[in-house]
Amino acid sequence: MLEREKEMEELERLQKYLANNGIASRRKAEEYILQGKVKVNGKVVTELGTKINPRVDKVEFEGKLVKEKEKNIYVLLNKPIDYVTTVKDQFNRNTVIDLVKNAGDNLLPVGRLDMYTSGALILTNDGDFIYHVTHPKHEVEKTYTVTLRGNVTGEDLENLKQGVTIDENYITKPAKVRILKIDEEKNRSRLEIIIHEGKNRQVRKMCEAIGKKVIALHRSKIGNISVKDLKIGEFRYLTKEEVESLQRI
């Protein structure tokens, strides 16, 4: 009885299945069914009320098998240090994929964090989302907490805010920078730096440009999405609202 109920729950209207998998709108899919262009398990189906089990039944449209579209997955990881932001690593180092292997298949990092930077990293199987979030024109803000050796001066702050030269001739775009803490005894400073560019090791290079060595670097937010409630090494799925907030930028 329970097995039968489960099977009934999995049934889906044929026109909805076609629409969900990119064949056409539901209304157009209904027309295709009525025109005899759709087969289920090798037999032409023309009844609009037909239901199928996507796990079992084979659906064809104009002679071609309809494949289920991969469900989009969006994961927020609080990346630890000593993990590389790649799918595979030629040196057999730990990768971020090792940490989210139970979250879904075919996940790719959205941008990068270097091996010694911790914090917010999104992974997804949605290629359009990756393109949107990483494209410079969308200017998605990334918030970093950086601990530096040495005391930061007002001039240092102003230079970071206005833009500094990195990679020989590239001048960074204006950034938002504020001091979180200055520890004169330990000769350390902690800053919050918000940028919307994605140059390789950019925050580290910006700090080097003002003569300061980075001791620790953590990305706390991507857009308005924070890892403050995630322990290092943990992940969670993004909400629909969070995904849409990045797509709107």
Side-chain angles (χ1 to χ4, degrees), residues 1-49:
M1 187 67 179
L2 290 176
E3 187 65 28
R4 178 62 179 165
E5 290 178 357
K6 184 177 180 183
E7 287 180 7
M8 292 298 293
E9 288 176 359
E10 293 176 345
L11 294 181
E12 184 176 355
R13 286 188 178 274
L14 182 56
Q15 58 264 43
K16 180 181 178 184
Y17 179 81
L18 293 170
N20 287 347
N21 293 292
I23 298 302
S25 67
R26 286 199 199 184
R27 182 169 295 179
K28 194 67 178 177
E30 289 175 354
E31 292 179 20
Y32 290 150
I33 293 169
L34 293 172
Q35 292 167 4
K37 294 184 177 182
V38 181
K39 291 182 180 180
V40 177
N41 299 325
K43 295 182 179 181
V44 174
V45 174
T46 57
E47 295 180 14
L48 295 182

Side-chain angles (χ1 to χ4, degrees), residues 134-233:
T134 57
H135 198 288
K137 74 177 181 181
H138 296 297
E139 298 188 348
V140 176
E141 289 188 338
K142 279 84 70 175
T143 303
Y144 293 83
T145 300
V146 54
T147 302
L148 304 173
R149 180 168 290 120
N151 295 329
V152 173
T153 66
E155 182 180 358
D156 292 332
L157 277 185
E158 198 58 33
N159 286 336
L160 290 172
K161 290 178 181 179
Q162 296 300 322
V164 293
T165 301
I166 63 174
D167 296 334
E168 295 185 4
N169 58 3
Y170 181 81
I171 300 176
T172 59
K173 292 191 168 56
K176 300 173 185 176
V177 187
R178 66 187 180 102
I179 295 174
L180 299 177
K181 183 179 181 180
I182 291 181
D183 190 331
E184 294 185 356
E185 287 187 10
K186 294 184 178 179
N187 193 32
R188 291 183 178 182
S189 303
R190 184 175 299 149
L191 307 179
E192 179 184 82
I193 299 178
I194 302 175
I195 62 173
H196 55 75
E197 299 170 277
K199 297 294 181 181
N200 184 39
R201 298 168 63 86
Q202 180 172 333
V203 174
R204 292 182 184 276
K205 291 175 180 178
M206 288 171 65
C207 295
E208 289 170 3
I210 62 167
K212 299 294 187 291
K213 180 178 176 59
V214 173
I215 299 172
L217 182 58
H218 177 80
R219 183 159 71 189
S220 58
K221 294 171 69 175
I222 299 172
N224 62 355
I225 301 170
S226 170
V227 291
K228 66 178 182 178
D229 296 325
L230 280 177
K231 295 179 181 178
I232 289 289

Side-chain angles (χ1 to χ4, degrees), residues 79-173:
K79 174 191 169 298
I81 62 172
D82 294 330
Y83 279 77
V84 292
T85 311
T86 56
V87 176
K88 294 182 180 178
D89 183 67
Q90 59 180 325
F91 303 112
N92 292 320
R93 293 173 296 185
N94 295 322
T95 78
V96 291
I97 300 300
D98 297 330
L99 298 169
V100 297
K101 57 188 176 184
N102 296 325
D105 297 326
N106 303 319
L107 296 180
L108 297 172
V110 181
R112 289 177 177 266
L113 282 180
D114 71 57
M115 186 172 180
Y116 302 108
T117 300
S118 62
L121 180 71
I122 295 172
L123 300 99
T124 183
N125 57 355
D126 183 346
D128 291 337
F129 180 87
I130 293 174
Y131 177 81
H132 181 91
V133 174
T134 57
H135 198 288
K137 74 177 181 181
H138 296 297
E139 298 188 348
V140 176
E141 289 188 338
K142 279 84 70 175
T143 303
Y144 293 83
T145 300
V146 54
T147 302
L148 304 173
R149 180 168 290 120
N151 295 329
V152 173
T153 66
E155 182 180 358
D156 292 332
L157 277 185
E158 198 58 33
N159 286 336
L160 290 172
K161 290 178 181 179
Q162 296 300 322
V164 293
T165 301
I166 63 174
D167 296 334
E168 295 185 4
N169 58 3
Y170 181 81
I171 300 176
T172 59
K173 292 191 168 56

